[in-house]
Every structure is written in C-alpha cells, then in structure tokens.
Amino acid sequence: MSVFDYHRRPTTVTCVGDVMIGGDNPIRLQSMNNTSTMDTDGSVDQVLKIAAAGADIDRLTAQGVREAANLGEIRRRVRQAGCTIPLVADIHFNPKAAEEAALHVEKVRINPGNFVDPGRTFKKLEYTDEEYARELEKIEQRFGPFLDLCKANNTAVRIGVNHGSLSDRIMSRYGDTPAGMVESAMEFLRVAVARDFTDIVISIKASNTVVMVETVRRLVKAMEAEGMKFPLHLGVTEAGDGEDGRVRSAVGIGTLLGEGIGDTIRVSLSEPPEDEIPVARELAEYLAARSAAPSVNGEYAPGYNPVIPSKRPTESVGIVGGDAVPVVLGYDKVAEENLLRLTTDELRLILDKKDDATHGKDILKGKVLVITAAHLNPVADLSSVIHRLWTLGLYNPVIASLDYGETDPAKTVIRASADFGALLLNGLVDGIEIKSATLDPEALDRLGLGILQASRRRMTKTEFVSCPGCGRTMFDLQETVARVKAATSMYPGLKIAVMGCIVNGPGEMADADYGYVGAGVGNISLYRGKELVEKNIPSAEAVGRLIALMRADGRID
C-alpha cells in the first residue's frame, strides 16, 4: 500500500460526558476559559460563548481545591442554561484539586511534569536506577488511586505533557527532548493500563512546531509498541495571536491531521477563547476533506525517516537549493530562466519514460522545479512525486506551488499553512509559492515568510511566543502582548515569550531569548533564556525593563 494513502489512525473511544473522542467520531474542537474559576458569573458566560461558537468541549483552570469545587457550581449553572458542553478541569501541582474536580466535571487534565514530581527547578540531578525506580513507584501510589476515583465517577482523564514543564526527574535522564516528553506520558499511561482505565486522552505539546510534530509521531510509535490506541489531543502551545498564531497552529496541527493523527484539537490563541473555534473548525474540516481524497501512489525514498525527517539533498541553482534557506517565490527574486514549471502529472510522465535511461535528466538538468498539484490532496501528491525524484537520484531544487483561487483570505491562511507547513517540516521543498485571488502580493509575501518561520526553516522577524491565558493569568494578556510586540517587533532573529503564569512560563523560556512571565497580580518577572533576571516588576514598568535588558545584553541598539 502506498505510504501516501492516508487513513485515520485507529483508536479506542474515550467518553467525555456525552461527547465521544476517537474511533470514527469527528475531530472534536476545544477551547479554554481565561476567566478566574472563582468568578462564577464570568466563567458561566464564557462557557456559553465558547459553546455557542461551536466547541465540543471546554476547559477551566483549577489551581486549588476551592476552585475545583466551584467547577461544580459553574457546571450546574451551565446545565441550567440548557448547555450540555462537557467541562474539563486543568490541574497543575495539586493532586487534591484533581481529586475534587473529578467529582464535578466530565474530564480532568493532569500534567505528568508536576502531578507527582515537584515543579521544574532546572537543577542538574542524578538518579541511580534504584532511585529512578522508586520515583516511578510514587506515580503508581499517587496516580493509581486518582484513576480509581475517576472510574467510579465516570470522569475521563487527559494526560497532558507540555515541553515547558517536564519534571527534573525526566530532564535528568532524557533532557529537554521529544524522547523525554514521550516517556513522561508513557509512565502515566502504563499505570492507567495496569488499572484497566481506558477513558484517556493524551496531549503532548510544544510551541516549536518541529518539536511538537516529532514528539507526537514518536508517541504514536511508542504506544503502538505497547499495544495502546488511546486518542490524541493536538495543539501548539503558546502559538500567539493574529495571523502568526493561526499560521503556527495550522503548521503543527495540520501536518499531523494530514497523516491521520489526532482526534481532538485546540488552537491556542492569545485572543478571546471563542475566537479559537472557527480556526479549529476550518482546520479540521479542510484536513478531513484533504485526507479523504483518493489515494496517491508512492513510497518514501530509501532511508527517509518519516518520524524525524531529513531534508532532501538538493543542488544549488542560483539562490535556491543546497544549503540556502527556503525561498518565497515572488518575494525572493529567482531568475526566470532557472525555473521549470510542471504539474505533478507532467513530472511523472518525464520520470516514467521507460525508453529514456536518464529518466528525464536532460529536461530537468540545472532547473529549479516549480511543481503544482491539482489533486484533492495536494500534499500527498507533491510528496509522492518529490520522493520519486529523490529515489531516482535527481536533486533538482523544488518549489511547491499551490493556488487557492477565490478562497476566503482567512481560510487561505489556514489551508496554506497546513499544506506548505507539512512539506517544509518533512524536508521536501526548497521554496514555496502561494497563489490567491483574494490576497494581495504583500499579504502573500507575509504569509509565505510566516509559514517558513513557523516551520523553523527561515527566520525573518521577531519570534513571539504567547500563551492564550487562563484563570491563572493575573494581567491583561492581550493588551500586554500588543505592547511587547509594538516595542520589540523590529528585531528579527529574537524570540520573546509572553507567558501568563509560572506553569509553562519558565520552561518555555528555555526555547526563547527573553521571557516576560506573570508573577502575581500586576507583577512580572523577566527571564534571559531560563535564567530569572528580575522578579516582581510592576507591569507598568516591565516592557521598558525588558528593552533595557535586551540593550544591556547587546541584542539591540
């Protein structure tokens, strides 16, 4: 069977209230409140808004037992309003809050990085095999009884691993790696299997799309090796806002959905949470239609690893190919005489000539191939023919070209990001060309460069990482992100993270140059990488102090 004949990954079905995740059920859409869970009126109103936007499931944070208990009142009033959307409690650091929440809501999300282990401290720790085994016993002792409680109350569980909050124990053996993230999830899944607890969903997220995609692929392989088929929740953490947030989410989530991986999704935006749902719906519907298209014949090139893809080696033709960063055709001025425009079918005809021992090398020699696909699954079609080139030892640079015609601009952003993001993350193209009748040239250039940056292939602007906010956030996140962007968006190559609280904040600092993290009501802490530089700065002064820090480090003029 062709490796490009995609099918939905078979999973067990997890029941979250009346909503079923996995199996043959549609991709479920989720969001999360950013209200305080003790603000009952505000939380109920926001749940109803999120449900009205079309969400299947909604999540609220519960920092402590008091907040967890109030979820019961929120749920009662939501049901009283005639809304049946299942509610999920988001728990960090506090198993007692998880136990209380399990009595009141349909699902509880726990984080393996801080459910049993203490919060991440970034200390260099050493564990003998015996010490490590004793730590694993603690997971069984703490997590096992919690699962029994959930089973007794028909409460589902999400095991949610975040790149920014791996435990020191995992870090000591695996480092800050995809392998560590996978093992963090598997340790808890093994306890669930031993307890015959099956209402499980797993998420394994990062703000870096390369890390996120590789980690989910690794998790699928790890579960397959141990006979597990639990459904997966997909998301890119701290994706940001506006077009950047949509592009980054579509690149990561879209790549995996296109491979048949994923059963429920959340597009995390630093915007009102109900705004996430139309983006998630478009992404889910587009990928479902694309992946259900007729199959495309083809096999991977010899030695290609689809879990950790290597970049296809290509010759350098002008500014395209070789070791050059990928181009955006139009924005980057590529000499026309170097280009050979072909459809996937035309290229196959050249490659399939049985009477031509060179397999079309004379026609293709010295050319950048601009390849278009009219197939209903353009990513599969392009991937198949590019692997064919690779297998035949033809190393022409390839620019993928897709035309979105009259598609609504907002939909074009999501579709193009999912399509080109997969090709870029899989190492198959040296450039992209986006065509659209509804986006002007400047918008197309911005989108193309944004997709390259979200795919971690070419950095042309300041990289902003920002969480969507939740009940733990103690400042106006959207307004703060706007102020930080206004003050720092002119520094290409820098990565700046704006985080609402300490749960993922310090962890995500490890992948950012600078971090701006909520430290209490009206207070901010500043990080250089994962190093805490200043803490408890009044928020009115924090952006200026961030600029001063960057200037003192010589990162900006």
Side-chain angles (χ1 to χ4, degrees), residues 296-420:
V296 178
N297 291 327
E299 301 292 338
Y300 294 134
Y304 180 81
N305 182 347
V307 175
I308 313 172
S310 54
K311 183 185 179 300
R312 173 177 169 258
T314 57
E315 299 163 348
S316 181
V317 180
I319 64 171
V320 188
D323 295 328
V325 296
V327 299
V328 175
L329 201 54
Y331 174 83
D332 294 297
K333 306 308 176 189
V334 181
E336 192 65 32
E337 62 267 22
N338 290 340
L339 303 179
L340 177 60
R341 290 184 174 273
L342 298 164
T343 67
T344 51
D345 289 339
E346 288 170 339
L347 182 54
R348 284 192 179 91
L349 286 175
I350 294 172
L351 300 180
D352 289 343
K353 278 190 174 181
K354 302 303 181 186
D355 59 348
D356 183 355
T358 65
H359 293 286
K361 284 186 179 179
D362 289 341
I363 299 171
L364 306 180
K365 189 174 181 179
K367 295 292 186 181
V368 176
L369 307 184
V370 182
I371 310 177
T372 62
H375 195 277
L376 291 173
N377 190 335
V379 172
D381 195 23
L382 286 163
S383 298
S384 172
V385 75
I386 294 169
H387 274 281
R388 215 28 228 302
L389 281 168
W390 195 346
T391 298
L392 293 171
L394 299 175
Y395 300 118
N396 301 72
V398 169
I399 295 174
S401 177
L402 294 174
D403 191 338
Y404 296 90
E406 300 290 338
T407 304
D408 174 80
K411 292 184 177 182
T412 296
V413 167
I414 296 165
R415 295 179 182 186
S417 299
D419 291 340
F420 290 110

Side-chain angles (χ1 to χ4, degrees), residues 205-520:
K205 299 183 180 183
S207 61
N208 181 321
T209 57
V210 176
V211 172
M212 175 260 191
V213 169
E214 178 190 333
T215 305
V216 173
R217 288 169 173 166
R218 282 175 174 262
L219 176 64
V220 168
K221 295 296 183 184
M223 285 198 292
E224 286 176 354
E226 299 192 27
M228 301 178 189
K229 295 184 177 180
F230 296 112
L232 289 170
H233 170 130
L234 302 182
V236 177
T237 57
E238 295 86 42
D241 63 352
E243 184 170 291
D244 286 346
R246 287 157 174 78
V247 168
R248 191 178 293 144
S249 293
V251 165
I253 297 171
T255 295
L256 292 166
L257 288 180
E259 297 170 8
I261 297 172
D263 306 281
T264 178
I265 65 174
R266 184 202 173 185
V267 174
S268 299
L269 300 175
S270 301
E271 301 177 19
E274 60 269 22
D275 290 357
E276 298 176 349
I277 301 304
V279 182
R281 181 186 298 110
E282 171 59 25
L283 190 54
E285 290 178 352
Y286 178 61
L287 270 297
R290 199 184 79 181
S291 299
S295 63
V296 178
N297 291 327
E299 301 292 338
Y300 294 134
Y304 180 81
N305 182 347
V307 175
I308 313 172
S310 54
K311 183 185 179 300
R312 173 177 169 258
T314 57
E315 299 163 348
S316 181
V317 180
I319 64 171
V320 188
D323 295 328
V325 296
V327 299
V328 175
L329 201 54
Y331 174 83
D332 294 297
K333 306 308 176 189
V334 181
E336 192 65 32
E337 62 267 22
N338 290 340
L339 303 179
L340 177 60
R341 290 184 174 273
L342 298 164
T343 67
T344 51
D345 289 339
E346 288 170 339
L347 182 54
R348 284 192 179 91
L349 286 175
I350 294 172
L351 300 180
D352 289 343
K353 278 190 174 181
K354 302 303 181 186
D355 59 348
D356 183 355
T358 65
H359 293 286
K361 284 186 179 179
D362 289 341
I363 299 171
L364 306 180
K365 189 174 181 179
K367 295 292 186 181
V368 176
L369 307 184
V370 182
I371 310 177
T372 62
H375 195 277
L376 291 173
N377 190 335
V379 172
D381 195 23
L382 286 163
S383 298
S384 172
V385 75
I386 294 169
H387 274 281
R388 215 28 228 302
L389 281 168
W390 195 346
T391 298
L392 293 171
L394 299 175
Y395 300 118
N396 301 72
V398 169
I399 295 174
S401 177
L402 294 174
D403 191 338
Y404 296 90
E406 300 290 338
T407 304
D408 174 80
K411 292 184 177 182
T412 296
V413 167
I414 296 165
R415 295 179 182 186
S417 299
D419 291 340
F420 290 110
L423 295 167
L424 288 159
L425 289 179
N426 289 333
L428 297 181
V429 295
D430 301 276
I432 64 177
E433 181 182 45
I434 310 171
K435 294 183 176 181
S436 168
T438 59
L439 290 173
D440 61 37
E442 183 178 349
L444 288 172
D445 289 344
R446 183 180 67 245
L447 174 58
L449 292 171
I451 293 171
L452 294 183
Q453 180 143 333
S455 305
R456 316 297 289 183
R457 294 295 304 279
R458 177 177 176 180
M459 311 302 281
T460 54
K461 55 186 178 181
T462 311
E463 176 89 348
F464 293 101
V465 172
S466 63
C467 71
C470 65
R472 297 183 297 267
T473 304
M474 297 184 184
F475 59 89
D476 188 327
L477 188 67
Q478 294 169 53
E479 186 269 338
T480 301
V481 170
R483 284 196 294 117
V484 172
K485 281 189 170 184
T488 61
S489 61
M490 66 293 296
Y491 305 116
L494 280 177
K495 183 173 183 181
I496 300 172
V498 181
M499 310 297 294
C501 71
I502 63 168
V503 169
N504 292 316
E508 291 300 336
M509 297 309 99
D511 194 39
D513 297 299
Y514 295 95
Y516 184 109
V517 182

Side-chain angles (χ1 to χ4, degrees), residues 15 32 40 42 52 55 75 91 95 109 137 172 176 198 240 256 275 298 316 337 344 396 398 408 417 486 492 556-557:
C15 298
M32 182 175 181
T40 306
R75 182 179 180 276
I91 307 293
R109 178 270 173 110
E137 289 175 5
S172 73
D176 201 0
T198 58
L256 292 166
D275 290 357
S316 181
E337 62 267 22
T344 51
N396 301 72
V398 169
D408 174 80
S417 299
I556 64 174
D557 296 329

Side-chain angles (χ1 to χ4, degrees), residues 15-28:
C15 298
V16 183
D18 294 333
V19 174
M20 292 184 290
I21 300 174
D24 295 328
N25 294 291
I27 303 296
R28 300 301 187 182

